[in-house]
Amino acid sequence: MSASTDPAVRSLVASVLWPGFLGRTAPDWLLHALDEGLAGVVYFGQNIDPSDAEQLPALSARLREARPGALLGVDEEGGPVTRLEAALGSTLPSASQLGRVDDTAVTRAAGVELARRLRASGANVALAPVADVNTNPRNPVIGTRAFGATADLVGRHVAAMVSGIQAGGVAACVKHFPGHGDTAVDSHLGLPHVTLPGVEVEAEHLPPFQAAIDAGVAAVMTSHVVVDAFGDLPATLDPRVLGMLRERGFAGTIITDALDMAAIRSEFGAGPGAVRAILAGADLLCIGNPSDLGPKHGATSDLDDYAEVRDALLAAVDDGTLPIPALERASHSVAGLSDWTAAASRAGGASTGEVGAFDARQVVREAIVVRGTVSVAAGDRVVLDLRDRASGAVASTAEPFSVALGATRVVVGPFGGRDVVAAMCDALGGIPESSAVVALVDAVQPGSPQRRALGILAAARPSAVIVNTGLPAPDELALPGLDTYGSSRVTAQVVSEAFEGVAA
């Protein structure tokens, strides 16, 4: 009997797969896969109805009815990365804002609150926190998702966030081992390389993962990043790199980053990549987001994506490439994570008193830095959005700043290879001289297109102000403004308060 027709082998393969799916109800193929032994699912923004508070809990209950031990994960970090609040933007601060405040008790409380929200949705695994140390200011995918740019700062807040999430009864999955912070390529779009010497990686990028392990983190997510000092494969597929994780004392579940990301799909193929990941020591294979918001833009269906990986594993068992013991090892680890979540659910999570200690707006107020004298006149306001296109990690298409400021939004960015002067002249030509202009930026390192655009704006509208939602510039900008260290609904609300003089 071949693997593809052996029920025991099919169940074993299903037990290490973690797909996404389309829609806000469970499709028949997914219910069948859960009945066959599927590990669970990952929710994305398109699975959630923001107008119906009961929809996601009901969906979770239906999935657990099909498989009681199902792992239901959400990529919920706070700040720019949210699925539960994708429609309007997050009401939790970014990791960078928490790092700016640098109070681990506050970060732990944020983790407890994040877990409370996931539990209310029926989910039991948080794909958070980010343990990457953002040492490259031009990093296109981490940025304000990181607590900061030093190992000590990131490590203590990672440990605090893991502690809070897991005290709240949800498994934390720290990411992206062995570090995505010194990259200049988004792994959703290509294969990044870290060119640092191995000793620098050890000293600057691995300590936060060790802090998470020491804090008892239940799961670790791999990165699709090649660390040149360690080998020529992305970490997800490299047995040496995943072995380093085990050598550091991690006994929990190793989860891959999404296999539909270009760093794997384009370089190796999602199916072959899945086989190599299991052989390298990964346990749970995150397949990715099949929605039209994802990198394939709806070119395949959710079932197609799932079947591609499932069938590749079955074929590898048939031809001897993938030994059954490797699948059994991974399946045992996934079952252990399921047991962990069941025990945490029975424990009931943290107390409501601990949750009540968290004040997201206060965190954001303390984190924001004011550059120069900032004032925005009442009346007609325009938000001039110069920002780059959000990375694949950011699901929300909401723009909360124009809403909070009661402003008209004029989208100019991303610039890419466009003529910055022409784009700015076109945009400013349509904005009345009497309007108060707020420029939204997120990539203002010297030499960037956004920096050039700000110079043009300063000459044309010297009364304009900047709201920088990315990392701060190392020097002075052409206009006064705010460095917010994150983009979210709660950040926009605090910015609006600052402009109105309600809060500094």
Side-chain angles (χ1 to χ4, degrees), residues 50 59 88 105 153 164 293 312-313 371 373 411 415 443 455 459 469:
L59 174 57
L88 298 174
L153 174 67
L293 299 179
L313 294 178
R371 289 177 178 249
T373 302
V411 179
F415 289 106
T469 65

Side-chain angles (χ1 to χ4, degrees), residues 166-368:
Q166 296 193 166
V170 169
C173 177
V174 71
K175 56 192 184 184
H176 310 80
F177 185 84
H180 210 314
D182 199 75
T183 57
V185 173
D186 180 353
S187 51
H188 295 86
L189 305 175
L191 181 58
H193 283 252
V194 170
T195 60
L196 299 174
V199 290
E200 277 192 52
V201 177
E202 290 273 359
E204 297 182 5
H205 295 276
L206 295 187
F209 294 96
Q210 187 65 59
I213 293 167
D214 294 343
V217 72
V220 174
M221 177 172 282
T222 64
S223 68
H224 302 329
V225 172
V226 178
V227 180
D228 291 344
F230 297 158
D232 57 4
L233 288 172
T236 299
L237 312 183
D238 193 328
R240 177 184 174 188
V241 175
L242 300 192
M244 291 168 57
L245 184 52
R246 296 302 188 195
E247 289 163 7
R248 289 178 168 269
F250 180 62
T253 302
I254 298 177
I255 303 176
T256 72
D257 208 344
L259 297 172
D260 71 352
M261 294 163 63
I264 299 297
R265 178 177 287 277
S266 297
E267 299 286 333
F268 303 91
V275 174
R276 296 180 75 151
I278 293 291
L279 291 172
D283 301 314
L284 184 57
L285 304 174
C286 178
I287 294 175
N289 183 0
S291 81
D292 58 2
L293 299 179
K296 297 179 295 301
H297 303 287
T300 59
S301 74
D302 47 6
L303 176 55
D304 290 336
D305 289 352
Y306 171 67
E308 177 183 0
V309 174
R310 179 200 61 197
D311 293 350
L313 294 178
L314 291 170
V317 171
D318 272 339
D319 67 19
T321 304
L322 182 58
I324 289 292
L327 282 170
E328 290 174 335
R329 168 201 52 76
S331 182
H332 178 75
S333 178
V334 174
L337 181 59
S338 178
D339 290 343
W340 190 101
T341 62
S345 179
R346 289 193 295 271
S351 69
T352 54
E354 186 172 5
V355 172
F358 182 68
D359 184 343
R361 286 201 186 200
Q362 185 58 33
V363 170
V364 176
R365 290 187 190 108
E366 293 181 27
I368 285 177

